[in-house]
Amino acid sequence: NPQAKLIFTISLLLGTTIVISSNHWVMAWAGLEINTLAILPLISKSHHPRSIEAATKYFITQATASALVLFSSMTNAWYTGQWDITQLTHPTSCLILTSALAMKLGLAPFHFWFPEVLQGSQLTTGLLLSTVMKLPPVSLLFMTSHSLNPTLLTCMAILSTALGGWMGLNQTQIRKILAFSSISHLGWMTIIISYNPKLTLLNFYLYVLMTTAVFLTLNTIKASKLPTLTTAWTKAPALNAMLLLTLLSLAGLPPLTGFLPKWLIIQELTKQGMTTAAVSISLLSLLGLFFYLRLAYCSTITLPPHTTNHIKQWHTNKPTHSSIALLTTVSTALLPISPLITTIM
């Protein structure tokens, strides 16, 4: 139903805008609730038992996180008399809020719901869950970053990068791999937020660009599992070749766009005297590199890996959508203009 889809899309935009522009905790909470209620019908759209399960898991997790956000702000208001988002000063409130936002984002150790929900959703809904739905919690994290405990955030970030890389190694479902990729990237965003919040936003924006390019490409070639991706190269060879570069960019390999935030974050961590954390998170991101390379190999393989006959997909002459072409180009070619990006940020 186009009207229903329009209402849900407007509600998503409205909820996100309310959270980003609010100064009062109750307004931010209301925006988060609007967002949650707008995405639920989109998750359960296919009426498959797995979709209904995903929607139920998403609702329970997000409702718990929203309740914790409200509880944190009320505790802070009780002790300090302040409802302003930037005036979160009470230590207990800061601790509760860190847990709530970690639950909202899918940051370890509150990450268990995210791969399951993404697996139960369609690729377009998965794209929304991985990008748009992350923006309100990231903006709240940005506004309260000066109040939160840097040691706790660093521990959660390293744990997220480790688990995101480790748990994605043996997956064959592409949506689950992308979910663990998201958890790993969130670790990079969280580790630097106490020291340079603008770098977190830069990392988030570039992550959104690259993930959107990957999801839209996979949606075009209709691949949701690794075996399907292995035989999809015949359908749109040029698009699959660009998917290879986009995946390597998402892994953070130079000279692609994804290397820029990792390079700047490692530089900033070293300046802050956190060399051990920088080395740890860099080594742990190599786990993620393995499954990105696996995806990249499957997307561009030109011969079947064994002798049994594969059903090849028909080559399509339909032109690639301009938005995918633009996103894949941006996802791979932004590194040369990094001085300009750092000046703007």
Side-chain angles (χ1 to χ4, degrees):
N1 190 341
Q3 288 85 5
K5 200 174 279 188
L6 181 67
I7 290 168
F8 298 142
T9 311
I10 291 170
S11 301
L12 272 176
L13 292 171
L14 177 70
T16 306
T17 312
I18 287 172
V19 176
I20 292 169
S21 57
S22 59
N23 286 319
H24 198 284
W25 274 114
V26 174
M27 280 296 286
W29 171 79
L32 290 170
E33 287 301 301
I34 291 169
N35 254 6
T36 303
L37 294 174
I39 197 78
L40 283 172
L42 296 176
I43 297 172
S44 56
K45 186 169 61 175
S46 66
H47 300 296
H48 189 273
R50 193 181 281 279
S51 300
I52 306 299
E53 182 192 339
T56 310
K57 283 177 179 174
Y58 186 77
F59 174 72
I60 291 168
T61 314
Q62 297 300 307
T64 310
S66 294
L68 283 173
V69 167
L70 209 53
F71 181 55
S72 161
S73 54
M74 284 170 67
T75 310
N76 190 62
W78 179 271
Y79 282 102
T80 62
Q82 286 286 346
W83 280 98
D84 197 313
I85 291 177
T86 53
Q87 301 296 320
L88 190 80
T89 50
H90 193 262
T92 310
S93 299
C94 293
L95 192 65
I96 296 168
L97 184 78
T98 308
S99 307
L101 292 180
M103 206 178 283
K104 280 268 176 204
L105 286 164
L107 194 68
F110 304 103
H111 65 285
F112 295 101
W113 62 273
F114 189 55
E116 300 299 324
V117 170
L118 214 62
Q119 179 57 29
S121 314
Q122 293 174 349
L123 278 167
T124 43
T125 313
L127 170 61
L128 289 176
L129 285 168
S130 300
T131 55
V132 178
M133 298 304 291
K134 294 267 193 285
L135 186 55
V138 165
S139 61
L140 286 178
L141 204 60
F142 178 81
M143 287 188 274
T144 56
S145 57
H146 58 277
S147 311
L148 304 179
N149 185 347
T151 313
L152 177 63
L153 288 174
T154 305
C155 292
M156 288 171 84
I158 290 172
L159 187 63
S160 291
T161 315
L163 287 173
W166 194 262
M167 294 172 80
L169 289 178
N170 64 341
Q171 299 296 332
T172 55
Q173 296 287 339
I174 296 173
R175 281 167 295 186
K176 274 197 175 179
I177 292 175
L178 290 171
F180 288 118
S181 150
S182 178
I183 292 164
S184 182
H185 275 271
L186 281 169
W188 280 91
M189 293 175 214
T190 311
I191 199 165
I192 201 67
I193 196 155
S194 299
Y195 307 103
N196 193 339
K198 285 184 178 178
L199 267 185
T200 297
L201 286 186
L202 174 66
N203 195 345
F204 180 70
Y205 297 148
L206 292 178
Y207 162 74
V208 166
L209 277 175
M210 294 182 288
T211 305
T212 307
V214 170
F215 267 104
L216 291 179
T217 305
L218 290 169
N219 194 43
T220 305
I221 59 178
K222 297 286 179 280
S224 59
K225 300 190 291 288
L226 284 181
T228 319
L229 192 62
T230 310
T231 56
W233 63 272
T234 48
K235 196 172 185 180
L239 196 58
N240 272 44
M242 284 308 290
L243 178 61
L244 161 78
L245 289 175
T246 313
L247 286 164
L248 293 180
S249 181
L250 205 53
L253 287 183
L256 303 166
T257 305
F259 178 62
L260 172 61
K262 286 185 167 58
W263 171 36
L264 293 174
I265 287 170
I266 290 168
Q267 196 176 16
E268 186 64 32
L269 285 172
T270 314
K271 279 182 193 169
Q272 298 289 342
M274 296 177 65
T275 318
T276 314
V279 170
S280 305
I281 203 164
S282 305
L283 290 173
L284 288 167
S285 67
L286 292 175
L287 289 168
L289 176 63
F290 177 80
F291 61 72
Y292 287 123
L293 285 172
R294 191 158 153 241
L295 268 176
Y297 173 73
C298 284
S299 68
T300 51
I301 192 170
T302 51
L303 288 170
H306 46 76
T307 50
T308 53
N309 292 326
H310 281 272
I311 300 170
K312 296 285 190 296
Q313 296 188 32
W314 283 96
H315 182 85
T316 176
N317 289 321
K318 198 166 65 173
T320 304
H321 199 278
S322 54
S323 62
I324 301 176
L326 181 67
L327 282 165
T328 47
T329 308
V330 171
S331 299
T332 52
L334 278 190
L335 191 65
I337 61 162
S338 53
L340 176 64
I341 295 170
T342 48
T343 308
I344 295 167
M345 291 300 287

